[in-house]
Amino acid sequence: MTMKRLLVSLLILAVQSTSAQDIYNKARALLTARDTTGAVASFQDAAKAGQKLAETHYYLGAIAFARHRIDEAILSLQASLKADDEKIEAIKLLAMAFLEKKDNKNALTQLRFAAKIAPKDCEISVLYGQALVAADSNDPAIVQLTKAKECMP
């Protein structure tokens, strides 16, 4: 490959990378402007371009969850966690989606992991306690909800 072709190839890659970032930024701006339909389309384009996959899929999941499309939310949030398995906001929202479906087992699995990586997160303690109550595990639920109460201002 000649030097000229190499430079052109690098330039094309740089433009594509910037383009993917621009798509992601547009999606965030549309979400901020509460244009969820436009945001979803742009986040899907950003995902196809491979841009910030954990973030992109998280936002797709959050929008689907807000629209009460729980199965769609679960798929997007799982994709987010595939890109970054410690993305705590995605873990919490995925647990909430599982709780919405009355899938206590999967909710508890997510929340146990979340509690290990963010032990001082009050919201995790609350969600974990709620999931334990839903699973009829009252004694562990009391422990988690007490922990949540202690960490709240």
Side-chain angles (χ1 to χ4, degrees):
M1 180 179 279
T2 67
M3 184 60 103
K4 184 176 181 181
R5 281 189 181 189
L6 179 61
L7 290 173
V8 169
S9 296
L10 289 173
L11 181 60
I12 289 170
L13 285 174
V15 169
Q16 286 175 342
S17 176
T18 302
S19 174
Q21 180 65 43
D22 289 346
I23 294 168
Y24 175 81
N25 290 341
K26 176 184 175 187
R28 291 289 310 267
L30 289 167
L31 187 59
T32 300
R34 299 186 187 275
D35 178 358
T36 55
T37 301
V40 166
S42 290
F43 279 127
Q44 288 170 338
D45 289 344
K48 287 176 192 168
Q51 186 63 27
K52 295 189 179 185
L53 290 176
E55 300 293 322
T56 298
H57 287 292
Y58 168 75
Y59 285 115
L60 287 168
I63 292 168
F65 185 84
R67 291 177 170 175
H68 304 285
R69 295 179 182 166
I70 304 305
D71 291 331
E72 186 180 323
I74 288 170
L75 290 174
S76 291
L77 294 164
Q78 287 172 329
S80 174
L81 291 169
K82 186 175 180 183
D84 177 359
D85 68 344
E86 292 191 0
K87 182 162 181 49
I88 199 69
E89 293 305 317
I91 296 169
K92 289 191 276 190
L93 192 54
L94 181 58
M96 290 170 63
F98 282 133
L99 286 172
E100 189 74 21
K101 286 189 68 155
K102 310 280 188 245
D103 184 348
N104 301 326
K105 180 182 174 193
N106 280 319
L108 287 168
T109 298
Q110 294 300 318
L111 292 165
R112 276 187 205 101
F113 180 67
K116 287 179 185 174
I117 61 174
K120 295 182 181 183
D121 187 316
C122 292
E123 188 177 5
I124 291 170
S125 294
V126 170
L127 288 170
Y128 201 1
Q130 290 172 338
L132 287 165
V133 168
D136 292 325
S137 296
N138 293 328
D139 290 340
I142 291 169
V143 171
Q144 282 302 316
L145 294 171
T146 301
K147 183 178 173 184
K149 184 179 178 186
E150 290 170 357
C151 72
M152 291 188 176

